[in-house]
Amino acid sequence: VLVKMVKICYLGAGYVGGPTMAVIALKCPDVEVVVVDITSARINAWNSKQLPIYEPGLDDVVKECRGRNLFFSTDIEKHIGEADIVFVSVNTPTKTQGLGAGKAADLTYWESAARMIADVAKSDKIVVEKSTVPVKTAEAIEKILIHNSKGINFQILSNPEFLAEGTAIQDLFNPDRVLIGGRDTPEGKKAVQTLKEVYAHWVPEDRILTTNLWSAELSKLAANAFLAQRISSVNAISALCEATGANVSEVAYAVGKDARIGPKFLNASIGFGGSCFQKDILNLVYICECNGLPEVAQYWKSVIQINDYQKSRFVNRIVSSMFNTVANKKIAMLGFAFKKDTGDTRETPAIDVCNGLLGDKANICIYDPQVTQDQIERDLAMNKFDWDHPTHLQLMSPMAVKKQVTVSSDAYSATKDAHGVCIVTEWDEFKTLDFTRIYEGMQKPAFIFDGRNVVNPEKLRQIGFIVYSIGKPLDLWMKDMPAVA
Ligand code: UDX
Ligand code: UDX
Ligand code: ADP
């Protein structure tokens, strides 16, 4: 238990910072937590009834702590100045220009944050790297801090976050592990101990791992790469299942029963999305290349290549099944978020599916329980950097998006008069839709393309649908259609 009230300042009020600090505030009444951000709209939302992110259980935690020992503020310099521990979790997008474009992490925000911390600090501070960053970033940050320190002692720690969106609160309450990396000096060990005591309020000691700085940084990149690799592995097998008549759910279940492999994270899908997996792997690939390890780089790159392949395979399947054209046909898209129980759309496979269908001139009507129309329009008009084919940039003008894309407030109106339905997010509510009603409202033949294996293909076939489910034996209909590229 801590003697003096520890003050934490968290830089970056995003998907990680908000939930993480809310849980620290809840579990540590003797710690004061202030989350700060340069975007005042975000801070205002954190201070309002309508939090800026949707995360099950988050509202209750924030309600309990906000105003007690949890605060949200734009007064960055004041709170950094007063803090004992400063967490930094600012954006680290993939570079789009210059050296390492398309692969390396863009540390602009990180560097400016570090310079600002050095600038305003008046007392010793522990600076904690929370956002995923390339290995040895901590060392670079340490240099910036020390060379600008004016006699203040900075200790840098790496404390990567492993929470997943949609289950963030549960993941924080009951983490598989907390990882803290620090310097092997007496001051470094003391800093590690200080942060460890914060987590020890609720996390069992044997789940708090301490390592050196680089191991902590690399563990985070490696963990995300391993997780993504499992998805690409099962997705690769899903393509083979479709070609051979095996069922990917049966295969994944049988494989996962091996205790050495384990049952989790083996759901075949339209491909992984989210702000982490692709970015972190690209990062890993870049670091390998910079360290003269092209074979290792190529191994991890293939995880992304299979992911891209899976997304385009899905689009090709839709177009080829529907007589090789979707021009002017209404396609209903159920889901848009990168996974269920979140409104986050960063790197969602839905964007690639939309772009593919729009390229074939489809009219798309989207329904997602948590994603706003505004967000969808922004995502589809966004200039997406294509890491492997920088010249193939596909860019829809906002006008064209408005013409070809509509957004619906429920699944039934989205699917009304549609030629095809595609399921791209595994929201629970899609499992219990009245598919007979949907079928009756659709054009015939009525197609359904399930990119998340949420529906029962046999039941839907009985209703009359032509069904495609990822990795499941193909409908006779699909077998007659030209091979998928
Ligand atoms: C991930 C890591 O899980 C988390 O530990 C890390 O801190 C951040 O990155 P997140 O991106 O929030 O978390 O979600 P996750 O549940 O990992 O899903 C990522 C993507 O993989 C989603 O698009 C999801 O639909 C997909 N996925 C996941 C599958 O396609 N199949 C699966 O079996 C699991
Ligand atoms: C393997 C499968 O484990 C088994 O289920 C299947 O029926 C037959 O193939 P086996 O080849 O007998 O069994 O041994 P295994 O323990 O899997 O090891 C295979 C190789 O991987 C060995 O050379 C082993 O040294 C190596 N290995 C295993 C590693 O390098 N690292 C590990 O973590 C595990
Ligand atoms: P994550 O998913 O890692 O939480 P987000 O992108 O959701 O990341 O959040 C990052 C936040 O960091 C954004 O809200 C952004 O406004 C904020 N940010 C970026 N640079 C700074 C900075 N120098 N100081 C404070 N906040 C910053």
Side-chain angles (χ1 to χ4, degrees):
V1 179
L2 300 155
V3 191
K4 113 179 195 299
M5 179 97 172
V6 169
K7 189 163 168 173
I8 293 177
C9 179
Y10 195 106
L11 212 56
Y15 283 92
V16 175
T20 310
M21 289 302 113
V23 168
I24 288 188
L26 181 77
K27 301 287 188 183
C28 312
D30 56 338
V31 174
E32 181 182 295
V33 183
V34 186
V35 183
V36 297
D37 203 291
I38 39 176
T39 315
S40 51
R42 268 213 172 186
I43 291 299
N44 291 342
W46 279 108
N47 279 320
S48 76
K49 268 189 153 165
Q50 184 74 43
L51 302 183
I53 64 172
Y54 171 72
E55 190 63 64
L58 176 64
D59 283 13
D60 292 339
V61 178
V62 170
K63 210 187 276 167
E64 185 156 349
C65 310
R66 197 171 54 193
R68 182 187 80 184
N69 62 336
L70 173 66
F71 304 92
F72 296 92
S73 168
T74 49
D75 198 346
I76 301 179
E77 303 194 349
K78 169 174 185 278
H79 293 290
I80 287 184
E82 292 172 0
D84 306 296
I85 307 177
V86 180
F87 283 82
V88 184
S89 175
V90 300
N91 329 38
T92 51
T94 304
K95 275 183 86 169
T96 57
Q97 280 184 0
L99 191 64
K103 294 178 201 160
D106 180 348
L107 295 174
T108 314
Y109 297 98
W110 236 113
E111 186 171 337
S112 79
R115 288 181 189 281
M116 191 258 296
I117 294 170
D119 215 35
V120 305
K122 292 190 184 59
S123 57
D124 292 355
K125 291 197 191 322
I126 298 172
V127 177
V128 186
E129 178 182 80
K130 198 69 176 161
S131 32
T132 315
V133 288
V135 185
K136 300 219 165 172
T137 296
E139 194 172 68
I141 302 305
E142 197 175 43
K143 287 198 180 107
I144 294 175
L145 289 171
I146 288 171
H147 286 278
N148 292 285
S149 74
K150 300 168 293 195
I152 284 167
N153 188 312
F154 290 107
Q155 279 302 319
I156 180 118
L157 301 179
S158 166
N159 171 222
E161 184 48 62
F162 295 100
L163 67 79
E165 286 173 36
T167 53
I169 299 298
Q170 279 318 310
D171 294 342
L172 287 162
F173 280 176
N174 190 20
D176 289 341
R177 79 303 211 181
V178 167
L179 182 57
I180 305 174
R183 287 281 177 211
D184 200 21
T185 57
E187 299 81 20
K189 283 180 181 156
K190 198 171 148 231
V192 168
Q193 189 57 27
T194 304
L195 185 57
K196 195 172 166 179
E197 279 168 15
V198 172
Y199 286 106
H201 279 75
W202 80 98
V203 180
E205 191 105 4
D206 62 350
R207 293 204 189 169
I208 306 180
L209 317 180
T210 57
T211 65
N212 73 33
L213 275 177
W214 309 324
S215 295
E217 289 175 323
L218 183 56
S219 300
K220 171 68 186 192
L221 287 178
N224 276 346
F226 272 55
L227 289 169
Q229 179 270 121
R230 279 174 78 93
I231 301 169
S232 280
S233 294
V234 76
N235 282 343
I237 295 293
S238 78
L240 187 57
C241 286
E242 289 165 29
T244 57
N247 179 333
V248 75
S249 300
E250 292 173 354
V251 174
Y253 183 77
V255 169
K257 275 288 178 190
D258 187 322
R260 295 169 298 179
I261 297 172
K264 293 183 187 162
F265 241 75
L266 286 177
N267 294 319
S269 69
I270 187 178
F272 58 76
S275 68
C276 292
F277 284 176
Q278 171 155 322
K279 185 184 77 180
D280 291 351
I281 293 177
L282 289 173
N283 219 324
L284 192 60
V285 166
Y286 185 65
I287 298 170
C288 292
E289 284 170 354
C290 292
N291 282 286
L293 303 169
E295 290 82 0
V296 184
Q298 182 48 46
Y299 173 76
W300 289 111
K301 208 169 175 174
S302 69
V303 171
I304 299 182
Q305 285 163 339
I306 288 290
N307 201 49
D308 286 341
Y309 165 74
Q310 189 76 345
K311 292 184 277 193
S312 57
R313 218 165 68 74
F314 188 71
V315 172
N316 292 346
R317 186 69 85 184
I318 295 174
V319 178
S320 71
S321 309
M322 298 177 80
F323 318 103
N324 260 333
T325 177
V326 288
N328 300 317
K329 290 178 185 167
K330 178 176 174 181
I331 308 286
M333 179 174 273
L334 298 185
F336 195 81
F338 82 98
K339 62 187 272 195
K340 75 171 181 179
D341 291 340
T342 178
D344 194 355
T345 60
R346 289 177 293 176
E347 301 295 332
T348 176
I351 296 176
D352 303 80
V353 173
C354 276
N355 283 336
L357 294 174
L358 290 171
D360 244 283
K361 296 200 167 25
N363 295 320
I364 306 179
C365 186
I366 303 169
Y367 165 64
D368 186 285
Q370 284 296 336
V371 183
T372 62
Q373 174 156 1
D374 250 26
Q375 185 63 49
I376 290 172
E377 284 170 2
R378 261 200 310 276
D379 286 336
L380 294 180
M382 203 172 57
N383 192 340
K384 198 174 170 230
F385 186 82
D386 186 343
W387 66 283
D388 221 8
H389 320 275
T391 51
H392 290 194
L393 266 186
Q394 192 164 20
L395 179 61
M396 295 280 295
S397 73
M399 281 285 283
V401 169
K402 273 215 183 321
K403 248 172 108 182
Q404 275 177 265
V405 179
T406 51
V407 175
S408 205
S409 59
D410 72 289
Y412 298 103
S413 60
T415 53
K416 183 96 186 72
D417 296 319
H419 291 258
V421 174
C422 53
I423 301 177
V424 301
T425 312
E426 73 284 18
W427 286 99
D428 287 337
E429 65 177 71
F430 298 158
K431 292 183 188 148
T432 53
L433 289 170
D434 180 349
F435 281 100
T436 306
R437 179 174 161 201
I438 287 176
Y439 179 79
E440 282 161 3
M442 287 175 63
Q443 309 272 351
K444 308 297 175 325
F447 295 86
I448 192 154
F449 304 91
D450 184 359
R452 295 287 190 168
N453 283 335
V454 299
V455 300
N456 178 332
E458 284 318 314
K459 279 196 183 142
L460 294 199
R461 283 184 186 124
Q462 278 161 19
I463 294 172
F465 282 104
I466 294 164
V467 185
Y468 166 73
S469 293
I470 293 272
K472 298 284 171 78
L474 288 184
D475 210 298
L476 281 179
W477 181 284
M478 312 271 168
K479 286 193 183 144
D480 296 340
M481 289 293 152
V484 172

